[in-house]
Amino acid sequence: MTPLVFIDGDQGTTGLQVRQWLAGRTDLRVLQLPPAHRKSAAHRAEALNDCDVALLCLPDEAARQAVALVRRPGVRVIDASSAHRTAPGWVYGLPELDAEQAGRIASARRVSNPGCYPTGAVALLRPLVDAGLLPADHPLAIHAVSGYSGRGRAGLDDHEGAAAATAAPFQVYGLGLQHKHVPEIQQHAGLAHAPVFVPAYGHYRQGIVLTIALHLRLLPAGVTAARLHAALAARYAGQACIELQPLGADADAQRLDPRALNGSNRLRLAVFTQERTGQVLLSAVFDNLGKGAAGGAVQNLGLMLGLSAPWQLQAEAPAQAQAQTHGGLLAA
């Protein structure tokens, strides 16, 4: 039977993107609540227990409540919030984390989708830690700039609503150094200590540039930019959603555009170096609503249901497929 997927929170920024990725597919059905029932605990509980996979696009506390509403053992859950990213019993939903992670996701009952920033940070750091090129206790500072959609509905209101004319062009936040993504990055990158994480929002809708600077003199003897690049190349060889730029390109002529991969589920990594000073810059570019959220969630959904490349966005697909009544719900 064609699997049934319920998107709890399908009106938010991530939920809407998930619906667009899934629109027009014939290898699954999407279960939707009518507008009048979306905030009804009883109707949500019914949908959560009628589906094969529940995809939660909710704030953290609402996601925890949704998981508590799932009673039927056969229901599998993908949580796109940060509620369960370091929780025992949940599989971390970054398929490229290591050679076995895609298989773990495919067989999991509970999958926690990575955060947008951690997707880039973990993808850059974990292979280097695993290879022994970057000590787990190395002091790290991570800088990242996201489009304002990373703030969810509040970001859209500030930058696209009546207040758009006075919206700040650039904002650095998380200055208390307690951003909720830090424990996730530390755990899944294999770090012994919390990195310094400095996030920011720009006055553009979506897309992320994330950078991590390293000094080769502080790394183990013999570590070079070429070895760092080779470790990333070895980890991501054959991965459809991650690309690594060649080492040694004319870095001074390059620019990192956070919007370069918008609308895709791709993650572009790079290693830049200055041999004279022994400095290295690791970078990641991706869509915070693509590989950093909805695209990643749909990639995990495809693994769990054994579907072929559902993360390839159908550019001409409508944002919402036609729906028909299904037991008091809407099945698209």
Side-chain angles (χ1 to χ4, degrees), residues 68-102:
L69 291 173
V70 177
R71 305 295 186 192
R72 188 169 66 83
V75 176
R76 306 171 76 184
V77 178
I78 301 173
D79 182 10
S81 83
S82 62
H84 300 101
R85 290 175 185 157
T86 59
W90 287 74
V91 174
Y92 192 57
L94 184 61
E96 302 87 357
L97 184 68
D98 61 34
E100 309 299 327
Q101 195 68 5

Side-chain angles (χ1 to χ4, degrees), residues 52-64:
D52 296 298
V53 179
L55 207 165
L56 312 181
C57 301
L58 302 165
D60 288 4
E61 186 53 37
R64 294 186 186 97

Side-chain angles (χ1 to χ4, degrees), residues 217-307:
R217 61 185 171 81
L218 300 179
L219 299 181
V223 173
T224 63
R227 290 185 65 190
L228 296 172
H229 186 272
L232 294 173
R235 175 61 56 91
Y236 300 122
Q239 293 291 347
C241 297
I242 298 186
E243 59 185 75
L244 178 64
Q245 289 186 267
L247 182 67
D250 186 2
D252 287 334
Q254 292 195 44
R255 299 291 185 271
L256 295 178
D257 182 352
R259 304 163 299 175
L261 297 180
N262 281 1
S264 80
N265 191 51
R266 289 187 293 141
L267 172 65
R268 179 177 296 155
L269 308 180
V271 178
F272 301 100
T273 184
Q274 174 48 251
E275 293 185 8
R276 180 179 60 82
T277 59
Q279 295 172 335
V280 168
L281 186 69
L282 310 176
S283 72
V285 175
F286 55 108
D287 185 352
N288 60 288
L289 295 180
K291 183 63 171 168
V298 173
Q299 183 180 358
N300 289 325
L301 178 67
L303 288 169
M304 294 170 76
L305 295 179
L307 307 181

Side-chain angles (χ1 to χ4, degrees), residues 163-247:
T166 58
F170 186 82
Q171 298 179 30
V172 177
Y173 67 104
L175 301 179
L177 303 180
Q178 300 182 83
H179 194 283
K180 67 180 182 178
H181 286 329
V182 171
E184 176 186 351
I185 294 172
Q186 180 181 345
Q187 177 171 315
H188 297 292
L191 304 177
H193 306 293
V196 173
F197 178 51
V198 185
Y201 289 124
H203 186 51
Y204 62 96
R205 194 176 197 276
Q206 63 197 81
I208 286 177
V209 165
L210 180 145
T211 57
I212 306 170
L214 300 173
H215 294 272
L216 293 176
R217 61 185 171 81
L218 300 179
L219 299 181
V223 173
T224 63
R227 290 185 65 190
L228 296 172
H229 186 272
L232 294 173
R235 175 61 56 91
Y236 300 122
Q239 293 291 347
C241 297
I242 298 186
E243 59 185 75
L244 178 64
Q245 289 186 267
L247 182 67

